[in-house]
Amino acid sequence: MTAENTPADLDGMAWARQRGMGALAEKMGIEFVEFTIERSVATMPVAGNTQPVGLMHGGAYVVLGESLGSMAANLHAGPTRLAVGVDINATHTRSATSGIVTGVCTPVHLGRSITVHEIVVTDEQGRRCSTIRITNMITDRPAV
């Protein structure tokens, strides 16, 4: 977030809880663990988010990544601006089959008009399952 629109004592977790993750993330069981501009962490259960063969669905990894990256970009954007996704890609390298997965989101670039975040999703053994990169464009909030 830029200094001109961010209170120094901003609590990212409180902001995220107040805003909410959205209906899709809630249906998928995504839960925040940590939320700051520098690092955001959330978990998601494998159960209920699998392909027919019992492996974690690749799209579920992407939902976790986009949820974290978009929320982090909006925290950075500040209260008068809006971050919207313009590009996302994912490389899946392992399939979780049980338990929970954890997404860790870190900024690659935090600009005035563009943000880029990398989200690394790991299984309970700490093995990387997916690497997601999301780019968000920051614009002025539309008048309501």
Side-chain angles (χ1 to χ4, degrees):
M1 241 180 212
T2 57
E4 66 268 9
N5 64 7
T6 306
D9 61 349
L10 178 69
D11 179 344
M13 282 293 287
W15 177 86
R17 283 188 194 106
Q18 179 184 24
R19 181 173 184 173
M21 292 272 306
L24 178 59
E26 289 174 17
K27 285 181 184 180
M28 296 184 76
I30 296 173
E31 293 185 15
F32 284 116
V33 175
E34 178 183 337
F35 198 78
T36 67
I37 290 174
E38 296 81 25
R39 178 179 149 102
S40 301
V41 181
T43 61
M44 180 174 64
V46 174
N49 293 312
T50 59
Q51 302 173 352
V53 296
L55 304 174
M56 179 68 121
H57 196 290
Y61 289 131
V62 175
V63 170
L64 177 59
E66 184 158 5
S67 297
L68 277 166
S70 291
M71 289 288 290
N74 274 286
L75 182 63
H76 167 72
T80 63
R81 308 205 68 213
L82 178 67
V84 294
V86 294
D87 182 65
I88 191 164
N89 66 65
T91 302
H92 310 309
T93 51
R94 179 177 296 277
S95 296
T97 57
S98 65
I100 63 167
V101 294
T102 301
V104 177
C105 173
T106 55
V108 174
H109 174 76
L110 296 174
R112 178 168 157 62
S113 59
I114 293 284
T115 64
V116 179
H117 288 86
E118 178 184 65
I119 302 89
V120 174
V121 181
T122 58
D123 64 13
E124 289 182 318
Q125 290 74 45
R127 299 174 298 192
R128 187 181 293 229
C129 297
S130 187
T131 305
I132 300 135
R133 191 192 75 210
I134 183 169
T135 302
N136 281 279
M137 178 178 64
I138 300 174
T139 63
D140 291 329
R141 273 194 190 275
V144 179

